[in-house]
Amino acid sequence: MARLHEGLTCPYCLNSPRVDAGEVKSVRLMAACVLCRRVPRLCYLPGLRKDSTQTQHVPFKQKDETDDHEGKKGVLQHQDPSSQGGYRLYYNPSSYHYSVWNSGTSQSQTDNDEDEQCISTLAPSFWQQSNRYSVSCSRHLSSSKNTLLDLAFNKGPEPEMPSVSPYYRKPTLPDVKVDTRAFLKCRPGYASITLDLTQRPRPIEWEEALLLLQKVTILKGSMKPCDVSHFLVELSHLHPDKMSLVRSDQRFIMLLRYSVEHLRLFNDLQLLEVLQSFVWLDMPCAHTVLGLYEAELSRRANQMSLHQLLLAADLWRCIGRQVPQFLQHLYDSVRLHLGQMGVPELVQLLYIMGEGRRSPKDLIYPVEQLLMRHLQQLYPEEVGAVCLGLFKSQTSISEGSVTRIVDKAHSLVEDMSDFAMVNVLKFLRFSYLYHRAWLQAMAQEVPRRANRMGVKGLMHVALACSALHYRDDNILMAIAERVPSLVPHCRSKDSCKLLWAFGTLGFLPVQSPSFYPSLTEALRRRKAEFQRYPEHLLTGLLGLAFVSQFPEDLIALALSPDFVNLALKSTQLELKKDLFTLDEAVALELPQWSGPRLNCELREEVTEMLWKFAQSDVCQKPEVQEAESALQDLLGGEKFVCKRMILPHTRSIDLEVHLDPTGQPVPVNPASHTATLSPENSSSTFPSHQGWGRMNIGVTITEELLAQLTNTKNTPEPLTPSPTIKRPTSLHRVEPDEGGRLFDTGLDLTSDIIETLAKPSSRGSAPQNFKGTVKLAIQVSSRNHYCYHSQQLLGLHAMKRRQLKLAGYTVVELNHQEWSPMLRKSKAEKLAHLHCKVYNSLR
């Protein structure tokens, strides 16, 4: 009390014109001051500080009140902003500042804006076991998922921003209205556990509200809990346009104080009524009073029914406040009431788990079993809500359950809303499950719906296709034709992730001349946003680089010292690798570039980091080790094959081989990776037992013979036998003996044949116009280098091939479809295969 009078003036006690000197000395004043001392921040409520012009400014700095929707505190700190990203995740609920209130039919940022959750720590257990086509979309490097650069996804907690950010912008208006809670209309059972935002109470007139506020002043200390709840409920019926006037009124602020005084005296029904009134009153989600209500609800959670807890959780969702403490009590209660859960309770629980960005580990299995039990009863919108909840909470369930859910969605796809359909795609993206029937249905549905879909939905469709490596030109063309008209509604994140997805799938600019230019121009108009979200700019520029698009002004921004420092300060993402990839791509593809570059120290640091990872991961893969060993046998030893990252910024390795103009191997210096020997000196380095200088004896190895040896094609012309080997009367398939002495064709392998395989053909082994060493980059590819069931290279690998050629290399691919079967065959067959690959590349 003395402290308040000495220095810190309590706005509730002394500064209101409605409180005279007599009241200051009253018991009412003492109670208010005691309350202010017990809960200091109540004196500085956001509503009072911002809206009241009658209150004296508090003379000390208020702790920053962060809105959970701005991405300050996700329960698990998963990866993508929204209340709705994408792949290993750190997540925070929303990337951009926006008004908390969202109408029930509006596609709000909170409901539909995951900042591509980089799926990381909660990856489904079946990814690397049963799903051969699992792919990665995280920025983390993983050769098991093809070492792709991934989405800007892998977010940790965002750096705290000042309360008034210089990069603040108004939210982008939604291009298409979407009912994100349409599933609540599927069955009446939701009425008791949710709030229908489309059924606003009958509005009262402003005069009625003034009378209610006057009664607050009259009743004062004699107010009972039922009076407080009644006044708040009645005031919440006011027209939305007048709500700001009520919240800034001193009498309303007094009413909030009284509600806190009576908080423990409310019965459960009154407490829920007051919380519901806060929804309609559009209370700011960071309001200090709400923290006290969460604490009270958590305290009495054990006494409340499952329906009451679900309703309270939904009210918090409608207010827009993250309440991890309360949700934990809800999850604890669910474990005790699993037998009471029907379809509405289950779907609502998954919805709440998604909005809370967390799935308790010990609840996942029972919820999965319950979901499988009720799956066939779900309506289309409920399937969409389930998929969204599982996606946003990063709930990893078994592959069989994922397949059954998507099977159910496929059976209902024609009746699904666009929003629900997109949610299924998000769930597939998280699960990395290639569901052929569903994706084929998308090839029909997306072109049919694209003209009525919003940019966020289209972005998520493209993102799912790129994550699953699924390229369908009907889908891509439909999106590409629709997006330019939606550019005014694109956040920088939407533009960048569309560029990433299309670049990853190898969609060329000539296929839609307006697509890439319109999105690139959208990035220019939103440069300020990259000061807060540098990862988005790098995502977009890498997507453009995949298809040889290099907007120099944006690249200059991304590589500028200030931007690089900003990106490196970002704790939630490893942006060093992305900066390095962009920097090196520019150096190779824009030789005239005079703009900023990364410093040498940073480039060397990232190169070393990538190489260390490659040594522990991709270099240990059996197909790579077998190719390296066989090439060493073919060429004459370890010194002729160097396993390294020729272009470290492409995050994958190659087997480097050098050949002189005559086609003979030249030692590769592993120290410099570039040293070669002159042709005249190279012959002395070859071991004599390899027979490089010997005449061909026995049989001449021709293309036709090698084709028969490796079963690659049939030749109509008869082979011309050497005098020293009798021509077989017929070529027929036989099983190799234990020593691997026979090819599948049944041709005997003599020592002369094997020796001849391990030497260049004397006929046209290298073009005569070669004037120097030929540098080969031999790549051991995998399925994940290509779009699914396609010969279309994914963006990063297409860029690598292009840049290797610019760097003076000839690319030789050991395709997974050819090389993987060779791993089970004899050494001679592997040598024959490699001989063809290496020397045919010189023609």
Side-chain angles (χ1 to χ4, degrees):
M1 192 65 173
R3 184 186 174 196
L4 288 171
H5 288 287
E6 286 174 9
L8 300 182
T9 304
C10 176
Y12 289 138
C13 306
L14 301 178
N15 289 316
S16 172
R18 297 180 177 85
V19 181
D20 57 27
E23 287 180 305
V24 171
K25 298 178 181 179
S26 68
V27 176
R28 181 72 263 164
L29 168 65
M30 294 176 64
C33 291
V34 169
L35 177 65
C36 292
R37 292 174 66 187
R38 182 169 63 85
V39 190
R41 294 178 72 181
L42 280 178
C43 292
Y44 313 107
L45 298 175
L48 175 64
R49 179 169 56 84
K50 295 178 180 178
D51 300 327
S52 175
T53 59
Q54 302 171 346
T55 302
Q56 180 177 337
H57 178 68
V58 181
F60 65 90
K61 184 177 180 181
Q62 176 190 10
K63 184 178 180 181
D64 184 28
E65 307 251 8
T66 55
D67 180 346
D68 286 339
H69 283 280
E70 288 187 63
K72 298 290 179 78
K73 289 186 181 181
V75 175
L76 253 189
Q77 295 177 340
H78 277 84
Q79 152 217 164
D80 171 357
S82 89
S83 82
Q84 197 189 3
Y87 283 163
R88 276 187 171 77
L89 338 168
Y90 290 107
Y91 195 93
N92 80 64
S94 175
S95 285
Y96 301 92
H97 180 83
Y98 65 100
S99 173
V100 173
W101 178 253
N102 301 298
S103 70
T105 58
S106 170
Q107 181 176 4
S108 69
Q109 195 128 341
T110 49
D111 280 326
N112 191 29
D113 178 27
E114 309 71 19
D115 191 33
E116 294 9 298
Q117 315 182 10
C118 266
I119 297 160
S120 112
T121 54
L122 300 178
S125 58
F126 58 83
W127 282 1
Q128 292 306 317
Q129 296 162 11
S130 58
N131 182 9
R132 299 190 308 171
Y133 304 101
S134 65
V135 295
S136 169
C137 219
S138 75
R139 288 184 184 270
H140 283 301
L141 209 63
S142 173
S143 72
S144 61
K145 304 177 193 71
N146 193 36
T147 69
L148 282 181
L149 297 176
D150 297 11
L151 304 181
F153 329 87
N154 255 12
K155 285 196 171 182
E158 290 196 345
E160 290 213 3
M161 301 299 293
S163 56
V164 180
S165 170
Y167 310 109
Y168 169 83
R169 68 174 180 86
K170 293 182 179 180
T172 304
L173 295 176
D175 41 10
V176 174
K177 288 186 177 181
V178 174
D179 188 353
T180 59
R181 289 161 61 94
F183 70 94
L184 300 180
K185 300 181 176 67
C186 290
R187 56 186 87 225
Y190 291 105
S192 62
I193 56 177
T194 64
L195 176 64
D196 188 347
L197 294 175
T198 64
Q199 299 298 316
R200 195 176 185 92
R202 179 189 62 82
I204 63 173
E205 298 297 328
W206 175 243
E207 290 75 14
E208 295 180 64
L210 290 177
L211 289 174
L212 290 168
L213 292 172
Q214 186 62 31
K215 288 181 181 180
V216 171
T217 304
I218 294 172
L219 289 177
K220 294 182 180 177
S222 60
M223 195 174 296
K224 299 177 182 179
C226 59
D227 297 325
V228 176
S229 63
H230 171 73
F231 287 145
L232 286 171
V233 169
E234 288 298 312
L235 287 172
S236 70
H237 293 184
L238 191 62
H239 193 278
D241 294 343
K242 303 292 184 181
M243 285 303 177
S244 61
L245 296 177
V246 168
R247 292 197 307 271
S248 63
D249 193 289
Q250 284 291 324
R251 292 165 292 185
F252 177 75
I253 296 170
M254 297 282 282
L255 182 60
L256 287 181
R257 191 191 71 203
Y258 296 145
S259 79
V260 172
E261 289 180 339
H262 292 91
L263 194 51
R264 292 207 171 190
L265 302 177
F266 289 135
N267 60 39
D268 293 345
L269 179 59
Q270 289 170 338
L271 189 58
L272 291 172
E273 284 179 342
V274 172
L275 195 60
Q276 180 172 311
S277 72
F278 288 160
V279 176
W280 302 123
L281 284 163
D282 195 8
M283 289 283 283
C285 65
H287 204 298
T288 312
V289 162
L290 297 180
L292 301 175
Y293 274 83
E294 181 192 357
E296 178 60 21
L297 280 165
S298 299
R299 186 186 67 83
R300 61 173 76 183
N302 292 338
Q303 310 163 18
M304 300 173 71
S305 69
L306 178 62
H307 279 207
Q308 287 176 323
L309 291 171
L310 286 171
L311 175 58
D314 194 61
L315 294 174
W316 285 122
R317 169 67 198 118
C318 295
I319 291 172
R321 184 180 178 92
Q322 293 288 327
V323 285
Q325 180 185 6
F326 173 77
L327 290 183
Q328 184 57 52
H329 288 286
L330 168 64
Y331 300 146
D332 291 341
S333 179
V334 166
R335 296 183 188 95
L336 303 175
H337 298 93
L338 285 170
Q340 303 175 22
M341 297 188 66
V343 171
E345 292 81 7
L346 174 63
V347 176
Q348 179 65 11
L349 174 65
L350 288 169
Y351 172 75
I352 293 300
M353 287 169 57
E355 300 312 306
R357 305 303 193 275
R358 177 170 177 256
S359 56
K361 291 182 179 179
D362 56 347
L363 199 57
I364 293 176
Y365 180 74
V367 167
E368 178 182 351
Q369 297 304 306
L370 201 58
L371 178 58
M372 292 301 100
R373 189 185 312 159
H374 295 306
L375 184 61
Q376 294 309 313
Q377 303 174 42
L378 299 184
Y379 292 110
E381 296 309 299
E382 290 176 320
V383 175
V386 164
C387 288
L388 184 61
L390 293 170
F391 167 70
K392 291 167 74 171
S393 63
Q394 304 303 291
T395 301
S396 173
I397 60 178
S398 67
E399 181 180 9
S401 295
V402 174
T403 302
R404 288 183 59 189
I405 292 171
V406 184
D407 285 342
K408 176 65 175 178
H410 179 250
S411 69
L412 303 171
V413 63
E414 294 182 358
D415 299 319
M416 278 185 166
S417 67
D418 300 340
F419 181 69
M421 182 187 77
V422 169
N423 291 340
V424 178
L425 283 167
K426 291 177 186 176
F427 184 47
L428 274 180
R429 188 180 90 216
F430 166 69
S431 301
Y432 294 142
L433 181 69
Y434 187 94
H435 193 286
R436 181 190 298 271
W438 173 266
L439 291 173
Q440 288 176 343
M442 292 302 96
Q444 304 297 321
E445 292 295 322
V446 173
R448 181 171 68 86
R449 302 173 183 233
N451 286 335
R452 71 186 190 215
M453 292 178 68
V455 68
K456 293 178 186 176
L458 294 172
M459 180 266 287
H460 284 297
V461 171
L463 215 49
C465 289
S466 68
L468 298 172
H469 297 182
Y470 177 69
R471 172 167 175 159
D472 183 276
D473 282 354
N474 291 330
I475 294 176
L476 297 181
M477 283 301 300
I479 297 174
E481 291 173 2
R482 168 70 167 157
V483 162
S485 65
L486 300 176
V487 162
H489 303 283
C490 285
R491 302 158 302 169
S492 58
K493 183 177 69 174
D494 299 322
S495 302
C496 292
K497 290 181 178 176
L498 278 165
L499 291 172
W500 167 270
F502 275 71
T504 296
L505 293 173
F507 186 85
L508 299 178
V510 296
Q511 295 179 261
S512 179
S514 62
F515 177 75
Y516 286 109
S518 64
L519 289 179
T520 304
E521 186 58 35
L523 300 190
R524 295 188 175 100
R525 291 200 295 266
R526 296 187 178 273
K527 282 184 180 179
E529 295 176 22
F530 300 131
Q531 297 300 316
R532 186 170 182 181
Y533 305 103
E535 66 272 19
H536 292 335
L537 177 58
L538 295 177
T539 295
L541 290 179
L542 288 176
L544 286 167
F546 292 164
V547 290
S548 298
Q549 298 292 296
F550 295 91
E552 296 190 13
D553 56 329
L554 294 174
I555 292 171
L557 169 63
L559 297 180
S560 65
D562 289 343
F563 188 90
V564 171
N565 290 335
L566 177 68
L568 296 183
K569 289 178 183 177
S570 176
T571 58
Q572 76 272 25
L573 293 171
E574 290 188 60
L575 298 183
K576 290 181 181 179
K577 292 185 291 234
D578 292 350
L579 286 166
F580 179 57
T581 298
L582 179 63
D583 178 78
E584 294 297 307
V586 167
L588 281 166
E589 303 215 33
L590 297 180
Q592 78 286 0
W593 177 255
S594 59
R597 294 284 309 278
L598 297 184
N599 61 60
C600 294
E601 292 79 7
L602 181 58
R603 293 202 296 266
E604 291 172 1
E605 176 190 348
V606 179
T607 299
E608 182 179 0
M609 175 174 58
L610 292 171
W611 176 236
K612 284 182 178 178
F613 179 84
Q615 285 179 305
S616 65
D617 188 17
V618 65
C619 290
Q620 304 302 319
K621 302 184 87 170
E623 59 268 30
V624 173
Q625 292 181 330
E626 189 65 29
E628 181 184 25
S629 175
L631 279 170
Q632 290 171 356
D633 291 341
L634 176 69
L635 300 177
E638 294 182 5
K639 62 183 177 181
F640 298 109
V641 181
C642 180
K643 180 169 59 179
R644 73 181 188 97
M645 302 175 82
I646 297 175
L647 301 178
H649 67 282
T650 60
R651 311 185 188 189
S652 55
I653 66 158
D654 304 277
L655 300 171
E656 184 171 356
V657 170
H658 293 182
L659 301 175
D660 71 8
T662 67
Q664 292 182 335
V666 176
V668 181
N669 186 346
S672 65
H673 303 307
T674 56
T676 57
L677 297 178
S678 61
E680 53 269 26
N681 295 332
S682 62
S683 59
S684 62
T685 65
F686 302 144
S688 58
H689 67 271
Q690 291 295 327
W692 291 107
R694 295 172 58 186
M695 296 294 292
N696 289 342
I697 59 173
V699 64
T700 299
I701 301 299
T702 64
E703 292 180 3
E704 292 79 6
L705 178 57
L706 285 173
Q708 288 198 29
L709 293 178
T710 56
N711 289 327
T712 56
K713 66 179 181 178
N714 295 322
T715 55
E717 300 85 10
L719 298 177
T720 303
S722 168
T724 60
I725 288 187
K726 183 179 180 181
R727 177 184 176 188
T729 56
S730 65
L731 295 177
H732 58 280
R733 184 176 183 84
V734 299
E735 295 300 322
D737 63 4
E738 293 182 357
R741 191 175 57 85
L742 302 175
F743 281 103
D744 289 347
T745 55
L747 179 66
D748 288 342
L749 286 179
T750 66
S751 59
D752 293 326
I753 292 180
I754 294 177
E755 185 173 297
T756 306
L757 286 174
K759 66 183 292 184
S761 171
S762 61
R763 180 175 60 84
S765 61
Q768 294 302 311
N769 59 353
F770 277 20
K771 297 183 179 181
T773 300
V774 180
K775 297 188 294 184
L776 301 182
I778 300 174
Q779 298 180 345
V780 183
S781 66
S782 74
R783 288 181 177 87
N784 284 327
H785 287 198
Y786 293 89
C787 294
Y788 187 77
H789 279 182
S790 166
Q791 293 303 307
Q792 171 68 51
L793 277 169
L794 292 171
L796 177 61
H797 304 288
M799 183 180 76
K800 177 180 177 178
R801 296 277 179 96
R802 190 172 69 239
Q803 292 177 358
L804 280 171
K805 293 177 182 177
L806 290 173
Y809 285 84
T810 298
V811 178
V812 177
E813 181 186 12
L814 297 184
N815 189 284
H816 64 94
Q817 293 177 336
E818 299 173 356
W819 185 242
S820 293
M822 293 298 299
L823 299 181
R824 299 185 295 272
K825 296 189 178 181
S826 67
K827 178 179 178 179
E829 290 173 288
K830 294 170 188 173
L831 291 175
H833 183 79
L834 291 175
H835 186 283
C836 290
K837 284 288 184 180
V838 169
Y839 290 101
N840 284 348
S841 69
L842 302 179
R843 298 183 185 280

